[in-house]
Amino acid sequence: MELHFLGTGAGMPSKERNTSAIAMKLLDERGTVWLFDCGEATQHQILHTSIKPRKIEKIFITHLHGDHVFGLPGLLSSRSFLGGEDTLTIYGPTGLKSWIEATLALTGTHLTYPIDYVEAAEGIVFEDEQFIVRAMPLAHVITCYGYRIEQKPLLGELLVEKALALGVPKGPLLGKLKQGHDVVLETGETIYSANVTAPVKEGFVVTILGDTKLCDNAVRLAEGADVVVHEATFDAETAHLAASYGHATNVEAATVAKEAHAKNLILNHISARFLPNDIAKLLQQARAVFPSTYIANDYAQFELRNQEFKHLE
């Protein structure tokens, strides 16, 4: 799994940062990409990456402020031009569906694929055999959600040589054992999957929070997460402004990660008031509270593989 930051700014685009959008690349896990928020010019940002819009399977919208949704109509249209045919599922607050449908209708935009809309609410918004996605409301000036993405436990690797030594023939029975099923040989002997597979591996947990001031639900969503993505619109010196605007500081984001016993924190949604030479100070302030903190710039990539987290250069 990789997180590819397409926009890390706050409120409006700047020379340094575009508006909010994060791609979760699940190419190894399911061959698709999930997008979290889609600010203005997200598709322009995608042009500078290897991401293929037709591979975007799901879009999760945290809230309906323009810097998180104004890129949707263009991206949806371009996905058609670029060969998108598979169903796209869009999750988000009440009103998102009607806004998208009205925009597409008024502009005469025809899509070559169907869209499924899921209205976000507290609880599980998606679940299949691989993942569970939970949503909880945050504390912003309008309805806003955070999402917790949980990968279900992974089956252990099949110990092929051990299975063959126990008399399992090459073929379908090996596949059944790998899938966790016990099998019976022609001799009548039962071979137990647990005896010929490595231990089950825990899946990853990633929490992506929308705009929010410091709140309990942010901590709940981030509990024990491998990676937490949290906004940091303000810093310690401007903390008096944060709550009134429904936003958080870098130090408050670090506090959420610390209280949640998370493993890694990535700060984004950085105000344009902070220039490139301010970033080191922002990071230092946050790391004083939660050492494993990173700040995302546009196009930054982070990888989580086999429980190992790293910032890709």
Side-chain angles (χ1 to χ4, degrees):
M1 186 281 298
E2 292 181 16
L3 292 176
H4 200 153
F5 286 79
L6 302 173
T8 58
M12 62 181 184
S14 68
K15 291 181 179 179
E16 300 294 334
R17 299 176 183 275
N18 199 55
T19 49
S20 294
I22 305 169
M24 176 179 281
K25 295 157 75 172
L26 299 169
L27 301 179
D28 290 342
E29 292 81 2
R30 59 198 291 135
T32 62
V33 175
W34 292 0
L35 189 64
F36 291 81
D37 285 332
C38 188
E40 179 184 349
T42 291
Q43 66 170 322
H44 290 259
Q45 300 290 90
I46 287 175
L47 292 174
H48 299 282
T49 74
S50 62
I51 296 169
K52 296 178 173 58
R54 60 183 173 82
K55 287 286 188 179
I56 298 174
E57 173 194 16
K58 299 179 182 296
I59 300 177
F60 296 85
I61 298 298
T62 60
H63 65 295
L64 301 185
H65 275 159
D67 60 319
H68 294 255
V69 300
F70 280 167
L72 266 175
L75 178 62
L76 297 180
S77 177
S78 293
R79 189 174 185 267
S80 283
F81 286 114
L82 296 170
E85 296 179 347
D86 296 333
T87 299
L88 174 68
T89 306
I90 302 179
Y91 304 77
T94 303
L96 179 61
K97 177 182 179 181
S98 59
W99 175 70
I100 292 174
E101 290 185 339
T103 302
L104 296 179
L106 287 169
T107 57
T109 302
H110 170 72
L111 301 183
T112 58
Y113 56 89
I115 296 178
D116 285 342
Y117 295 93
V118 177
E119 190 170 291
E122 184 167 353
I124 295 174
V125 295
F126 170 73
E127 181 174 7
D128 67 2
E129 69 280 358
Q130 288 183 297
F131 289 95
I132 300 176
V133 181
R134 306 175 192 273
M136 294 186 78
L138 300 172
H140 194 38
V141 294
I142 64 171
T143 299
C144 183
Y145 289 93
Y147 296 100
R148 178 183 173 94
I149 303 93
E150 302 174 5
Q151 183 186 32
K152 292 183 176 180
L154 304 171
L155 294 175
E157 180 183 358
L158 177 65
L159 307 176
V160 178
E161 296 302 323
K162 187 173 183 180
L164 294 176
L166 291 173
V168 181
K170 293 182 179 180
L173 293 185
L174 288 175
K176 290 183 178 180
L177 288 168
K178 184 177 181 179
Q179 294 301 314
H181 303 294
D182 302 330
V183 301
V184 179
L185 304 181
E186 290 183 355
T187 62
E189 181 183 2
T190 299
I191 304 298
Y192 297 96
S193 176
N195 293 336
V196 293
T197 53
V200 170
K201 297 179 181 179
E202 289 298 315
F204 63 76
V205 177
V206 175
T207 299
I208 297 180
L209 302 172
D211 291 3
T212 184
K213 61 184 180 182
L214 184 63
C215 68
D216 291 340
N217 278 356
V219 177
R220 294 189 183 101
L221 285 169
E223 188 66 41
D226 293 286
V227 185
V228 177
V229 180
H230 198 300
E231 68 130 292
T233 312
F234 294 91
D235 66 353
E237 284 72 31
T238 54
H240 61 288
L241 299 173
S244 60
Y245 287 100
H247 287 295
T249 70
N250 54 340
V251 174
E252 288 171 334
T255 300
V256 167
K258 180 178 179 180
E259 292 184 357
H261 304 289
K263 296 177 183 176
N264 300 281
L265 170 66
I266 305 174
L267 303 179
N268 76 331
H269 203 269
I270 308 298
S271 171
R273 76 176 68 224
F274 301 114
L275 301 177
N277 57 7
D278 296 319
I279 299 304
K281 183 179 178 181
L282 292 176
L283 189 58
Q284 182 182 31
Q285 289 177 345
R287 284 183 171 174
V289 176
F290 188 77
S292 189
T293 299
Y294 305 81
I295 292 182
N297 296 316
D298 283 16
Y299 303 118
Q301 296 183 73
F302 297 84
E303 180 184 74
L304 183 62
R305 187 182 300 275
N306 297 325
Q307 305 299 317
E308 181 181 351
F309 178 76
K310 62 181 178 180
H311 183 188
L312 302 177
E313 299 298 337

